[in-house]
Amino acid sequence: MDSMNDQLRSDEERLAANIARVRSQIEEAARRVGRAAEEITLVAVSKTMPVELVKIAYNLGVTDFGENRVQDALPKIAEFHPRGMRWHMIGHLQSNKAAKVAGAFDAVQSVDSLHLAQILNKHAEEEGKILPVLLQINVSGEASKEGMTFEETPGIARQIAALPSLKVRGLMTIAPLVGDPAEVRYVFRGLRGLRERLQNEVAECSWDELSMGMTGDYSVAIEEGATIVRIGRAIFGERVYKGDTTT
Ligand SMILES: *Cc1c(COP(=O)(O)O)cnc(C)c1O
């Protein structure tokens, strides 16, 4: 019992220090470009982490959490979902899991096709809810990345915007992994440019949100206009995968 309490206390101290460090870096990056830190939502990416750590982070003031695998997320959401806390789906989503996602999650950041949007819309409607979504864009053009291309996005966005049970809030992207985050500044700038284009061409949505920036590159993403950063390792520590390297 004592060692359990010791473990809890050390997790609390570790997460408190990590969250404080991330928040102050968010503030610094925002200040460098004349933005307010309050414009930026911190999504703590809790994939592979036990729900106990989610509870600790929530008690330290984090309200938004991200998960990338439906089957891992559902038990955590079932166990812990206080009012005012939001669970974001951030990983590639197969349409056969869309019903569960529409039921359990508060937002889906990884809408990468019209087909997926249509199925999410149908299930959100059945749930009697309006599901906030972001469109995932493959800015870098890497073949391995999920997401819509620049060219196809305006056409698809127009059709998704017309779905009554989805609320399109903006765009999301994942930058390539690089050693120096300055190398992916063009990705974040590109996503912001696409948003401007959509604000003109698909004006029925406000396109407020830009979800971009992870542990390795969130300061650069904020300098380029991120309104949502998705941060895992800088908060919870390195992930240990048990024989499965899917991220
Ligand atoms: C894992 C993941 C993150 C967080 O990555 P870190 O490097 O741990 O900050 C952010 N976004 C997506 C889509 C992810 O899958």
Side-chain angles (χ1 to χ4, degrees):
M1 202 57 205
D2 272 357
S3 73
M4 243 177 83
N5 284 335
D6 287 349
Q7 179 63 42
L8 193 62
R9 206 169 310 118
S10 77
D11 281 339
E12 250 169 40
E13 282 169 12
R14 180 170 64 91
L15 292 199
N18 289 349
I19 291 166
R21 193 179 319 109
V22 167
R23 290 230 187 261
S24 88
Q25 302 221 340
I26 289 173
E27 225 158 84
E28 268 177 46
R31 186 160 343 107
R32 277 199 292 278
V33 292
R35 302 181 61 205
E38 296 72 49
E39 295 170 22
I40 297 146
T41 300
L42 170 61
V43 173
V45 177
S46 53
K47 64 189 185 193
T48 78
M49 299 294 163
V51 71
E52 285 69 31
L53 294 185
V54 172
K55 293 178 185 175
I56 292 172
Y58 177 80
N59 287 324
L60 290 164
V62 178
T63 53
D64 292 77
F65 292 84
E67 289 280 334
N68 71 331
R69 300 182 63 169
V70 180
Q71 64 272 35
D72 295 342
L74 291 177
K76 296 186 204 177
I77 299 175
E79 173 159 349
F80 192 63
H81 200 175
R83 196 173 287 276
M85 178 216 194
R86 288 169 296 273
W87 285 100
H88 301 248
M89 175 63 191
I90 62 171
H92 179 62
L93 178 51
Q94 280 153 356
S95 44
N96 61 358
K97 297 191 179 132
K100 287 186 168 131
V101 167
F105 281 84
D106 301 291
V108 179
Q109 297 200 5
S110 43
V111 172
D112 57 5
S113 71
L114 176 60
H115 178 64
L116 175 60
Q118 287 167 331
I119 293 180
L120 281 171
N121 176 68
K122 176 170 84 90
H123 292 298
E125 191 180 350
E126 284 164 10
E127 295 281 333
K129 72 191 218 183
I130 305 285
L131 188 64
V133 300
L134 304 180
L135 308 189
Q136 182 173 351
I137 312 298
N138 181 356
V139 179
S140 65
E142 283 179 292
S144 62
K145 283 260 185 305
E146 311 289 346
M148 306 175 192
T149 65
F150 262 58
E151 294 69 38
E152 68 186 349
T153 298
I156 297 176
R158 209 165 285 121
Q159 297 176 77
I160 296 178
L163 298 171
S165 295
L166 300 187
K167 183 169 172 54
V168 182
R169 310 271 329 267
L171 304 175
M172 180 271 234
T173 198
I174 304 173
L177 273 179
V178 290
D180 176 3
E183 285 174 42
V184 290
R185 187 180 290 280
Y186 80 94
V187 171
F188 304 136
R189 203 168 276 177
L191 196 70
R192 191 181 60 192
L194 179 61
R195 175 175 66 174
E196 274 162 35
R197 186 170 161 201
L198 293 169
Q199 283 171 331
N200 291 323
E201 294 182 17
V202 190
E204 55 268 41
C205 305
S206 63
W207 303 104
D208 288 327
E209 305 289 357
L210 287 179
S211 175
M212 52 191 199
M214 314 182 4
T215 290
D217 55 23
Y218 67 94
S219 292
V220 175
I222 289 168
E223 289 171 7
E224 295 299 332
T227 65
I228 298 172
V229 290
R230 310 176 308 266
I231 299 181
R233 290 169 296 141
I235 292 177
F236 295 108
E238 291 297 323
R239 290 178 287 275
V240 180
Y241 289 98
K242 302 181 197 77
D244 176 353
T245 54
T246 312
T247 58

